[in-house]
Amino acid sequence: AQSVTQLGSHVSVSEGALVLLRCNYSSSVPPYLFWYVQYPNQGLQLLLKYTTGATLVKGINGFEAEFKKSETSFHLTKPSAHMSDAAEYFCAVSPLELTGGYNKLIFGAGTRLAVHP
Amino acid sequence: NAGVTQTPKFRVLKTGQSMTLLCAQDMNHEYMYWYRQDPGMGLRLIHYSVGEGTTAKGEVPDGYNVSRLKKQNFLLGLESAAPSQTSVYFCASSYRSLSGNTIYFGEGSWLTVV
C-alpha cells in the first residue's frame, strides 16, 4: 500500500531563510504527487502538483518541488521565507491508475511551518 | 468564486445527538469526498461519491452516512455522535477523469462532541 512520510511535524525558519519541507513516498510505481497548504482555520489549497514532464515543479507563492524518482522524494522548497508562509503543509500522493473508481489521495501527517522575524 | 462550500462551520454536539453537514460545489464536478482531519494524522477519507445517487465507503466510514441526491450536493450525517468524532471535516470535489486530477477542498467544519 502506498504511504507518505513527511519528515518533521514542525519546522521553524527565520524570515528570509530557505524553506525545506521533506516528503517521501513509498510506491513501486511513482504516483502523482501534490503539495497542499492549509492556513489557520481554512481549507486546503493546492500549492503544486507533479503528474508528468519536468521533474521540477513551480507552484504558487514562490514554492517549488522536485520529483526525484531515485530517492522517492518530493521535497518542497522556497528560497526566502515570508511571514505569510506560516501554515501547515501536506504532501499527498495519488496512484497512477484510478483506484476504486475515484481519485484516491493519500496524505502525509503534515508539517507545520513557523516563520519568525 | 464559491467553489466548495460547507455548512455549518462550527458545531458543538452532545454525545448521542445527530447532525448533518452540508456540502455544495459549483464546479460541476462528478466526484465528491468527505475527509476528516485529526492532529498528526493528515486527512482521512470517510466516504466518497463518483456521481449523483452513488456513494461508497472510504478509509474511516464507521459512524457516518452520506447521500448525494443532487450532483452539486454531498451530505455527511452523524446518526449518534461520539466524542471520537470530534474533528475537522472537509468536503472536497474533483472532475471525473484519469487519476491525478486536482481535488478542491472546502474551508472545513469544526465539530466538537461533548
Side-chain angles (χ1 to χ4, degrees), chain B residues 81-96:
Chain B
S84 61
Q85 294 178 304
T86 294
S87 187
V88 185
Y89 292 86
F90 288 98
C91 179
S93 67
S94 69
Y95 284 114
R96 174 184 182 181

Side-chain angles (χ1 to χ4, degrees), chain A residues 2 25-33 50-51 67-70 72 93-97:
Chain A
Q2 292 183 330
Y25 65 90
S26 66
S27 174
S28 56
V29 177
Y32 296 121
L33 300 155
Y50 171 79
T51 53
F67 166 54
K68 292 187 176 181
K69 182 179 177 180
S70 61
T72 61
V93 302
S94 184
L96 295 185
E97 299 299 321

Side-chain angles (χ1 to χ4, degrees), chain A residues 99-102, chain B residues 31-35 45-62 64-68 74-76:
Chain A
T99 304
Y102 70 101
Chain B
Y31 292 177
M32 296 188 74
Y33 317 82
W34 276 106
Y35 290 86
L45 184 66
I46 305 171
H47 285 281
Y48 65 96
S49 168
V50 298
E52 182 178 322
T54 70
T55 63
K57 295 180 180 180
E59 187 183 354
V60 288
D62 294 342
Y64 305 95
N65 57 75
V66 288
S67 65
R68 190 157 178 212
F74 195 30
L75 279 59
L76 177 71

Side-chain angles (χ1 to χ4, degrees), chain A residues 9 32 34 36 38-46 49-51 88 90 94-110 112, chain B residues 9-10 31 33 35 37-45 48 50 57-58 88 90 94-108 110:
Chain A
S9 58
Y32 296 121
F34 303 78
Y36 281 86
Q38 183 182 27
Y39 298 104
N41 298 321
Q42 293 188 24
L44 278 72
Q45 179 183 2
L46 181 69
K49 70 176 182 180
Y50 171 79
T51 53
E88 189 153 21
F90 292 94
S94 184
L96 295 185
E97 299 299 321
L98 210 59
T99 304
Y102 70 101
N103 296 129
K104 188 173 187 178
L105 197 59
I106 302 160
F107 285 89
R112 188 168 297 279
Chain B
K9 187 151 186 174
F10 300 97
Y31 292 177
Y33 317 82
Y35 290 86
Q37 182 184 24
D38 301 291
M41 303 186 75
L43 276 75
R44 294 179 293 168
L45 184 66
Y48 65 96
V50 298
K57 295 180 180 180
V88 185
F90 288 98
S94 69
Y95 284 114
R96 174 184 182 181
S97 183
L98 300 174
S99 186
N101 277 337
T102 299
I103 295 179
Y104 296 86
F105 288 84
E107 295 205 336
W110 276 253

